[in-house]
């Protein structure tokens, strides 16, 4: 077993630094994951060197969170061995998993008025079940994110869904406000981890130059929920009663777990490297197990024994350097305290709060303005949900297009197969040029929305504004989520957990008082105030553009110094 740590890149001048962790291949098992694009790249490089047969993971100290990798020669292994077809399957399942967290939040909205009457509490008190959900939606990923980066994506998914299914069964059976409140917290705990895990999966298999579109795909699943969940919730609450909402979630989660356990492979780079090292037997999907068994059966006894020994050695090396421990939420706090990351998270949380304030107040406004029932409230969410659903894909394509455009302007070579050395690359400019227009349009629409609901004009105008806010506000905070993963590509679930923690805490505060703000300030001035807060803190984006590259480089140097001191 050899490690291809610091190598020279004959295609670039000067030395670059690459994460050795991005270079892991294992060919002895006889399993290949090679696309036509990979073959083309390999053919171009064939005259320079032969492919290495086995690479092991770096030590934990070497696994740094800046995508500045150690210099790579043309025979270095690919960033991921998964074929494009397999990546689509992985991202599809991750996106479906991420669907459950926003589904559980949005399917609940049409029943709020019914539950308020049933439990004989005020609308403000019932909104606290939204607030508590968002608090635990922020807290839970700090545990699950660290667990997923350390032990693997599949174990974290499995534990999360067990908690989620149990909480939904309890919610369907309970009959008191206190039980509703507590079980909603558990429901959020189980489901919210899937968002952080989905982003982590993308970082496992996609390089920064293509990360925008893959992140768009994986977040399209969660963004489908605002479109369909209120309709489903309204239908169930209207015709079968509010308890049917939670039985529906139990059934849907159970159905999802069937293809998950059959097809979803382990992708965490601390567990399988670039996908070429088999995970532990208990962490294999059924498809992984059958592929590995078929590959071994096609080998002779000597080759099979060698293959198993190499696999076992690679697994043991990763396990030794991984050092399994209890998940530590403090890793999330270390992410937050970084200057550039902290500012990005804070501003992203403001956009998310504005987005969620519109959603949380909509049932209250629809009931007061138009006298809607549960089903009508659910149907009225469709335009907002459609905008939120298509936003990640459009934003992802724009991010990747602008990344390539900025790279071309700066004569920056893009390595689609192994990932890019982001030292000296204007990452902030490449991402913010897409983010800023989305925020500008989304905030303007939010301002107009406040005065449209103030004068109680036609429903059509309100629904059009809902669609535009879903499109541009969702697009903005999805772009910032991609930028965050660019900052921490080797611990993306932990970084995404930090994102969830900040934005959900901020969003919980906003949703807890939004109806009170509307009553006290009036609808127009309330949403004008929210848009004004977003505008007030917009210079944060300029600060990131000016000083972000410097702070990012300082962090990289600090990490390299720490790595050398441990070696």
């Amino acid at each position: 077993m050899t490690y291809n740590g610091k190598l020279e890149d004959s295609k670039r001048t000067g030395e670059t630094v690459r994460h050795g962790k991005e270079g892991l291949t294992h060919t002895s098992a006889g399993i290949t994951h090679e696309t036509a694009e990979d073959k083309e790249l390999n053919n171009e490089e064939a005259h320079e060197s032969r492919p290495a047969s086995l690479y092991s993971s770096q030590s934990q100290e070497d696994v740094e969170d800046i995508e500045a990798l150690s210099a790579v020669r043309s025979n270095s292994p690919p960033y991921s061995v998964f074929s494009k077809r397999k990546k689509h399957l992985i991202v599809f399942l991750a996106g479906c998993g991420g669907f459950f967290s926003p589904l559980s939040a949005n399917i609940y909205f049409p029943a709020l008025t019914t539950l308020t009457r049933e439990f004989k509490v005020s609308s403000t008190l019932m909104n606290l079940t939204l607030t508590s959900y968002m608090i635990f939606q922020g807290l839970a990923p700090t545990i699950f994110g660290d667990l997923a980066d350390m032990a693997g994506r599949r174990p974290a998914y499995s534990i999360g869904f067990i908690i989620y299914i149990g909480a939904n069964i309890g919610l369907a059976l309970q009959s008191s406000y206190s039980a509703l409140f507590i079980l909603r917290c558990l429901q959020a705990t189980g489901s919210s981890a899937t968002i952080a895990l989905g982003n982590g999966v993308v970082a496992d298999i996609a390089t920064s130059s293509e990360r925008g579109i893959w992140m768009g795909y994986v977040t399209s699943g969660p963004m489908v929920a605002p479109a369909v969940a209120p309709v489903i919730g309204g239908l169930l609450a209207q015709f079968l009663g509010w308890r049917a909402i939670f039985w529906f979630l139990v059934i849907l989660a159970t159905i999802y777990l069937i293809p998950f356990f059959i097809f979803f492979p382990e992708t965490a780079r601390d567990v399988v490297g670039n996908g070429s090292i088999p995970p532990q037997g208990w962490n294999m999907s059924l498809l992984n197990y059958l592929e590995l068994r078929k590959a071994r059966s096609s080998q002779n006894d000597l080759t099979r024994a060698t293959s198993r020994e190499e696999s076992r050695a690679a697994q043991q090396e990763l396990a030794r350097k991984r050092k399994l421990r209890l998940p530590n939420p403090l890793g999330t706090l270390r992410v937050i305290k970084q200057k550039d990351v902290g500012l990005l998270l804070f501003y992203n949380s403001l956009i998310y709060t504005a987005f969620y304030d519109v959603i949380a107040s909509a049932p209250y406004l629809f009931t007061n303005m138009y006298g809607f029932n549960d089903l009508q409230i659910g149907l009225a969410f469709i335009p907002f949900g459609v905008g939120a659903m298509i936003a990640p894909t459009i934003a992802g394509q724009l991010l990747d297009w602008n990344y390539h455009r900025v790279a071309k302007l700066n004569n920056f070579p893009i390595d689609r197969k192994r990932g890019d050395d982001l030292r000296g690359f204007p990452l902030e400019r490449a991402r913010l040029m897409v983010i800023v227009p989305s925020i500008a349009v989304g905030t303007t629409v939010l301002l107009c929305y406040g005065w449209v609901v103030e004068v109680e004009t036609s429903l059509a105008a309100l629904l059009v504004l809902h669609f535009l806010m879903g499109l541009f506000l969702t697009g903005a905070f999805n772009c910032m989520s991609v930028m965050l993963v660019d900052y921490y590509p080797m611990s993306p679930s932990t970084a995404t957990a930090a994102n969830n923690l900040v934005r959900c805490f901020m969003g919980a505060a906003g949703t807890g008082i939004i109806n009170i703000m509307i009553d006290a300030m009036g609808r127009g001035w309330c949403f004008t105030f929210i848009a004004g807060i977003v505008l007030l803190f917009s210079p944060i984006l300029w600060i990131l553009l000016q000083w972000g590259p410097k702070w990012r480089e300082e962090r990289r140097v600090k990490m390299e110094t720490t790595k050398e001191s441990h070696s």
Side-chain angles (χ1 to χ4, degrees), residues 69-111:
L69 315 170
S70 79
V72 174
R73 190 169 64 223
S74 58
N75 69 336
S76 64
Y79 185 82
S80 174
V81 299
F82 293 112
S83 67
K84 193 168 184 179
R85 183 178 178 182
K86 192 68 171 284
K87 287 180 181 180
H88 277 293
L89 175 62
I90 292 169
V91 169
F92 173 75
L93 289 173
C96 289
F99 176 73
F100 284 90
S101 182
L103 173 69
S104 303
N106 288 273
I107 201 172
Y108 184 69
F109 286 129

Side-chain angles (χ1 to χ4, degrees), residues 65-303:
D65 291 317
I66 299 296
E67 197 166 344
L69 315 170
S70 79
V72 174
R73 190 169 64 223
S74 58
N75 69 336
S76 64
Y79 185 82
S80 174
V81 299
F82 293 112
S83 67
K84 193 168 184 179
R85 183 178 178 182
K86 192 68 171 284
K87 287 180 181 180
H88 277 293
L89 175 62
I90 292 169
V91 169
F92 173 75
L93 289 173
C96 289
F99 176 73
F100 284 90
S101 182
L103 173 69
S104 303
N106 288 273
I107 201 172
Y108 184 69
F109 286 129
L112 284 177
T113 305
T114 301
L115 288 168
T116 300
R117 291 195 301 266
E118 174 122 357
F119 292 113
K120 297 180 174 61
V121 295
S122 67
S123 63
T124 300
L125 198 58
M126 186 55 65
N127 266 8
L128 288 179
T129 62
L130 302 178
T131 302
S132 64
Y133 185 94
M134 294 187 69
I135 290 173
F136 279 82
Q137 195 178 35
L139 286 173
T142 64
I143 303 292
F144 281 99
D146 189 48
L147 174 66
D149 285 335
M150 173 184 57
R153 314 297 182 210
R154 283 173 55 85
Y157 270 112
S158 301
I159 294 170
F161 271 100
I162 289 171
I163 295 171
Y164 177 72
I165 291 173
N168 279 306
I169 292 173
L171 283 163
L173 298 175
Q174 56 78 32
S175 298
S176 69
Y177 175 79
S178 58
L180 175 69
F181 186 91
I182 294 170
L183 288 168
R184 280 281 289 175
C185 296
L186 278 177
Q187 185 191 41
T189 299
S191 65
S192 61
T194 58
I195 302 294
L197 298 179
N199 290 354
V201 167
V202 169
D204 292 337
I205 65 175
T207 62
S208 55
S209 64
E210 60 179 359
R211 195 165 288 150
I213 188 61
W214 287 108
M215 284 282 283
Y217 291 152
V218 84
T219 53
S220 289
M223 289 302 107
V224 171
V228 301
V231 180
I232 296 171
L235 286 168
L236 293 172
Q238 186 75 18
F239 297 108
L240 297 176
W242 61 267
R243 295 181 191 276
I245 291 174
F246 301 110
W247 286 122
F248 172 79
L249 295 176
V250 170
I251 295 168
L252 196 64
T254 303
I255 292 172
Y256 167 76
L257 287 178
I258 296 172
F260 174 83
F261 285 124
I262 294 174
F263 298 110
F264 192 84
E266 181 55 66
T267 64
R269 300 183 78 85
D270 269 347
V271 179
V272 297
N274 66 350
S276 54
I277 298 176
Q280 306 91 328
W282 56 266
N283 197 14
M284 287 186 183
S285 67
L286 178 60
L287 186 62
N288 277 155
Y289 172 75
L290 294 176
E291 285 178 342
L292 188 62
R293 184 175 177 179
K294 180 180 178 181
R296 286 174 174 170
S297 66
S298 66
Q299 300 166 344
N300 59 44
D301 291 341
L302 180 59
T303 303

Side-chain angles (χ1 to χ4, degrees), residues 303-333:
T303 303
R304 186 159 54 246
T306 303
S307 172
R308 288 178 179 174
E309 184 60 32
E310 288 177 340
S311 296
R312 189 178 301 110
Q315 290 171 354
Q316 290 174 350
E317 182 71 7
L318 282 171
R320 182 182 67 80
K321 294 168 180 176
R322 188 162 62 243
K323 295 180 181 178
L324 290 179
R325 51 175 169 71
L326 289 175
N328 181 13
L330 295 179
T332 301
L333 300 180

Side-chain angles (χ1 to χ4, degrees), residues 412-454:
F412 179 82
I414 292 177
D415 191 335
R416 294 172 298 168
K417 186 176 181 181
R418 299 178 182 85
D420 299 325
D421 174 7
L422 295 183
R423 285 191 305 174
F425 179 71
L427 175 67
E428 289 77 8
R429 182 174 299 277
R431 299 312 193 197
L432 291 174
M433 288 178 71
V434 178
I435 293 171
V436 171
S438 296
I439 292 174
V441 177
T443 306
T444 302
V445 175
L446 177 63
L447 177 65
C448 296
Y449 172 75
W451 295 104
V452 167
V453 295
E454 174 71 24

Side-chain angles (χ1 to χ4, degrees), residues 356-379:
Y356 222 84
D357 278 345
V358 173
I359 298 178
S361 62
Y364 175 75
L365 293 174
F366 284 138
T367 301
N368 288 348
M369 293 168 61
Y370 306 109
F372 281 0
N373 60 30
D374 291 347
L375 177 58
Q376 290 170 322
I377 291 173
L379 293 173

Side-chain angles (χ1 to χ4, degrees), residues 461-496:
L462 188 149
L463 296 181
V464 169
L465 293 174
H466 266 209
F467 169 79
L468 293 174
M469 284 186 290
L471 179 64
F472 288 101
L473 293 180
T474 303
F477 65 68
N478 271 280
C479 288
M480 285 187 268
S481 297
V482 174
M483 188 171 170
L484 179 66
V485 172
D486 288 332
Y487 281 156
Y488 285 88
M490 302 311 298
S491 55
S493 292
T494 300
T496 305

